[in-house]
Amino acid sequence: MKVASYLTMAAALLSLQQSASAAAGAEAFRWPNGARAAVSLAYDDALDSQLDHAIPALDKYQLKGSFYLQLSNPAVDRRMTAWRAAARNGHELGNHSLFHQCSLKAPGHEWVQPQRDLDTTSVAQMRDQVAVANTMLYAIDGKRERTYTVPCGDVMAGGVAGGASYLAAIAPDFVAIKAGGGDAVTASMAALDPYAVTVLAPVGLSGKELIALVEQGAAKGTMVNFTFHGVGGDYLTTSAQAHEELLKYLAEHRTTYWTDTFLNIMTYVKKQKRGDH
């Protein structure tokens, strides 16, 4: 047999091995009811457009989302009845801190108010603030289990030289934490840290682009984490049309994608990683 033939056969075997390896990786983590991926639809800051557009769309397609409330946002007080109704209907109310502390020195953060500057807020102050936010959320929905999303993805609190991450100080109070920007698609469930889950905050993406990311999650057999802000309004906006196109796709492919609250997904993930079946 010629050398070229040997090389062709070797390349074919390598390709088969890589395909088998990829398939095995996708099957290594088992999602409920044979789903190929989990999808978390999250919404930050307690915005009016989420109550006006996102929740009605989720309810239309019988999907559940996670809403991370900045408790100082006037929309929490002004529309308390609507937030309570969302929680009764199965949507998650998550902790997004009292005052949305972010780093003023970070690029593009000129909007951060001095009294809400994470660079001058200590770890102990953030721990207290987040604990009070959990108490306020309990008063709204009567639930104790909670997840947290880090405002701006900034974790380095001030108060010590060089700053220090405050996540370890608050982690015991939460099932899981979305810790900042990154890829929407989790690369590996085996390597996933439940207290540092990366998310994508879509801005201006089309429904087709959002769906393509979901399909990547199915190909990997992992999970997809979106954190929206404005939906059809407010800021960092995703159009209501693009958002609804994504929901329609997920609803039409329920056997492929397990779409649920971040709390429910991460409760399941942690049990699976512990071997509790």
Side-chain angles (χ1 to χ4, degrees), residues 70-142:
Q70 174 193 333
L71 277 305
S72 59
N73 188 327
V76 176
D77 179 27
R78 181 166 37 81
R79 305 188 68 176
M80 183 72 71
T81 299
W83 291 116
R84 284 189 168 132
R88 285 196 303 271
N89 196 31
H91 300 294
E92 176 188 2
L93 300 187
N95 192 325
H96 201 41
S97 79
L98 290 179
F99 303 117
H100 203 278
Q101 242 79 351
C102 293
S103 171
L104 176 59
K105 68 184 179 185
H109 281 194
E110 296 81 7
W111 52 268
V112 175
Q113 297 171 303
Q115 74 274 18
R116 297 182 176 184
D117 183 5
L118 186 62
D119 303 326
T120 58
T121 304
S122 70
V123 170
Q125 287 172 319
M126 281 305 301
R127 183 182 63 238
D128 289 349
Q129 181 188 141
V130 169
V132 172
N134 268 352
T135 300
M136 292 181 67
L137 286 165
Y138 174 68
I140 296 172
D141 65 11

Side-chain angles (χ1 to χ4, degrees), residues 22-31 34-40 183-189 198 200 208-226 246 249-250 253 255-259 265:
E27 294 172 1
F29 195 89
R30 296 187 179 276
W31 295 108
R36 290 168 54 195
V39 179
S40 165
D183 293 332
V185 181
T186 299
S188 165
M189 295 308 298
T198 61
L200 175 71
K208 183 177 180 180
E209 289 170 323
L210 294 169
I211 290 168
L213 290 168
V214 166
E215 290 174 337
Q216 288 179 30
K220 288 181 177 292
T222 60
M223 63 187 297
V224 182
N225 288 289
F226 292 122
L246 171 64
Y249 176 83
L250 292 171
H253 298 83
T255 58
T256 302
Y257 304 101
W258 175 36
T259 304
I265 291 171

